[in-house]
Amino acid sequence: MTSDERAYDRRRLGQWLTREARADGIDRRHLLKLLAAAGAVTGATAAGAPGAAAAVPATGPDPAPGILKPLPADRFTVHGTNAETRWPALRGTGYHTPNGLFFVRNHTVTPALDAGDWSLRVWGGGLRGGEAAFGLDDLRALPVTERSAFVECAGNGRSFFTSQQGETVSGTSWSLGAIGVARWRGVRLAEVLRRAGLRGDAVDVLPRGLDAEYSSGGVALGRVRRPLPVAKALDDVLLAYEMNGEPLPPDHGHPVRLVVPSWVGIASIKWVGDIETSTRPLYSPWNTDLYRLFGPTYPAEGSAPLTRQTVKSAFELEPNATFAARATHRLTGRSWSGGGSVRRVEISTDGGAAWRRARLHDTPRPGSWVRWSAEWTPTASGPAELLARATDSAGSTQPERTVFNEQGYLFGAVVRHPVTVAP
């Protein structure tokens, strides 16, 4: 989180307290927690708890209620309403994650939406005139933008807070498979906001999904929504209607979704149906109780709302895989960062005692990943630990530990990958 982002958030809080900002769906008591000394989160959690809507009917046992695409066990690990990509399934698949392998993060269930009936409503006090509406054909008629970018859940890697650091956190127990890179095609959000008549003094836009309203702990939080600063909305955000050359699949936002490059996945609202604009800062549960860092090393009100992702690396390999001693093996993996392009990847095959450079197979680019490989010829049998760490263009290198936060967001430490060397 940059100092500019922290200053922006402090200014938003001050404007709310002086009634110059609006908090959608949050009462004063909950928002004041951000300024109080309590520090602990008492609202919704980041876990993919079932929502109020019924699951999509399926024949036979449904391992993930509400997800429509097949989820074979050799490709996905199911976490309730969510499905995590298994890294070995990505080996040899190319740069972009195939649609059928892309992870799924649902708050409730995948909605059935008709592209012909769909329209995007842009409204609010941040427009010069009245509201505007755009159908799918209207978006397709606008200048086209295509971009390769990752979408990654803020809780990706959360399980390692417990398994590696011995710390208890709340939320879905992702390993590292809550990420995918796709070639997104659509129209820049800036183009749509300009045509809708965005005012020069607008400060926030708030996209809202068309999935069912989400409830947690008996509290109805409404439809998933999270404000974006206008500066980001006008920069590189995309209203995408295609994914890897095909219309968006239902589980990934059909017919239109936001793609917010380099930011936490919650910002990339799926099934977007309306965008509120405002000359006052806006709040929702997804940037107050959720998607901030709370814990003993953070301010009592929590960190500023999460934006950019951290640096991570993963092997395209099952945990506890077996390798033959005295044979040469090709290790492969991928590294990525929200803070810049990945410039260097190093691996260790002895638990971190020694490191060497891996070979990069892609041109580093912001908001995406690089594939890499390295040869390994183990000489002794027994257990071993493989490690990979990346350094991005901003100079950030993966650390040995990630600072604890209660909801387990932004785990970026080097992950220890156990394997066995057979005689």
Side-chain angles (χ1 to χ4, degrees):
M1 193 68 60
T2 68
S3 59
D4 286 346
E5 288 164 346
R6 289 192 180 95
Y8 171 75
D9 190 52
R10 285 194 298 270
R11 186 167 66 251
R12 289 158 61 92
L13 287 168
Q15 288 171 316
W16 184 84
L17 290 171
T18 57
R19 302 184 185 280
E20 296 174 3
R22 187 168 65 77
D24 182 17
I26 306 173
D27 62 29
R28 185 177 181 85
R29 178 179 61 83
H30 281 98
L31 196 55
L32 281 175
K33 287 192 308 181
L34 301 176
L35 297 176
V41 178
T42 59
T45 69
V56 175
T59 58
D62 188 353
I67 297 178
L68 300 186
K69 70 183 183 182
L71 301 172
D74 62 334
R75 297 185 176 191
F76 291 97
T77 300
V78 174
H79 303 284
T81 59
N82 310 305
E84 174 176 4
T85 306
R86 297 176 63 90
W87 274 95
L90 290 177
R91 187 179 175 106
T93 57
Y95 185 79
H96 296 104
T97 308
N99 294 354
L101 283 178
F102 212 94
F103 85 102
V104 180
R105 168 67 171 106
N106 279 358
H107 279 76
T108 56
V109 300
T110 295
L113 302 176
D114 186 334
D117 295 335
W118 176 89
S119 67
L120 175 67
R121 176 186 175 223
V122 184
W123 61 284
L127 299 182
R128 290 192 298 269
E131 65 181 56
F134 300 83
L136 185 55
D137 289 342
D138 297 323
L139 294 188
R140 289 185 175 277
L142 298 177
V144 174
T145 296
E146 192 168 274
R147 176 177 290 115
S148 291
F150 69 72
V151 172
E152 181 187 11
C153 180
N156 196 27
R158 178 182 283 125
S159 65
F160 298 108
F161 276 103
T162 301
S163 63
Q164 283 195 184
Q165 300 187 180
E167 298 162 329
T168 301
V169 296
S170 64
T172 299
S173 188
W174 302 104
S175 54
L176 286 172
I179 182 175
V181 171
R183 188 176 72 254
W184 308 100
R185 181 179 175 89
V187 58
R188 292 180 64 224
L189 177 58
E191 181 71 21
V192 169
L193 293 174
R194 181 183 67 81
R195 290 174 182 265
L198 187 70
R199 290 173 47 157
D201 59 348
V203 298
D204 274 0
V205 300
L206 192 149
R208 187 183 334 256
L210 288 170
D211 44 336
E213 293 190 357
Y214 178 65
S215 296
S216 179
V219 177
L221 302 180
R223 298 187 187 278
V224 177
R225 61 204 183 279
R226 193 173 195 255
L228 281 172
V230 162
K232 179 65 173 177
L234 297 180
D235 182 17
D236 57 357
V237 178
L238 195 67
L239 282 165
Y241 45 73
E242 289 184 10
M243 179 180 181
N244 292 328
E246 301 176 0
L248 280 177
D251 292 312
H252 301 293
H254 172 84
V256 176
R257 70 171 298 162
L258 253 70
V259 175
V260 183
S262 299
W263 280 34
V264 291
I266 186 62
S268 294
I269 299 293
K270 295 193 288 185
W271 314 294
V272 63
D274 75 277
I275 299 176
E276 180 181 0
T277 66
S278 178
T279 57
R280 301 181 295 166
L282 299 173
Y283 288 90
S284 86
W286 284 269
N287 72 332
T288 52
D289 281 352
L290 298 172
Y291 300 99
R292 290 177 181 254
L293 304 180
F294 294 89
T297 61
Y298 296 100
E301 69 275 12
S303 71
L306 302 185
T307 56
R308 293 187 178 276
Q309 282 284 6
T310 184
V311 192
K312 294 188 182 74
S313 299
F315 286 93
E316 297 172 330
L317 181 67
E318 286 280 8
N320 303 307
T322 298
F323 293 86
R326 294 171 294 281
T328 299
H329 306 277
R330 185 171 183 263
L331 303 175
T332 63
R334 307 182 190 219
S335 298
W336 62 97
S337 173
S341 54
V342 171
R343 296 300 175 87
R344 183 175 74 250
V345 177
E346 301 164 286
I347 71 155
S348 172
T349 56
D350 57 7
W355 295 85
R356 56 191 170 94
R357 295 280 287 266
R359 178 189 175 194
L360 305 186
H361 295 279
D362 301 297
T363 301
R365 65 187 75 177
S368 198
W369 58 23
V370 294
R371 294 169 295 169
W372 46 263
S373 66
E375 304 299 313
W376 179 40
T377 307
T379 57
S381 61
E385 272 190 335
L386 307 180
L387 285 72
R389 68 184 182 194
T391 300
D392 67 19
S393 56
S396 297
T397 300
Q398 290 180 255
E400 291 186 8
R401 290 180 64 89
T402 295
V403 176
F404 168 78
N405 69 89
E406 294 171 358
Q407 297 184 76
Y409 294 134
L410 300 187
F411 187 90
V414 175
V415 171
R416 296 182 172 273
H417 196 111
V419 298
T420 299
V421 179

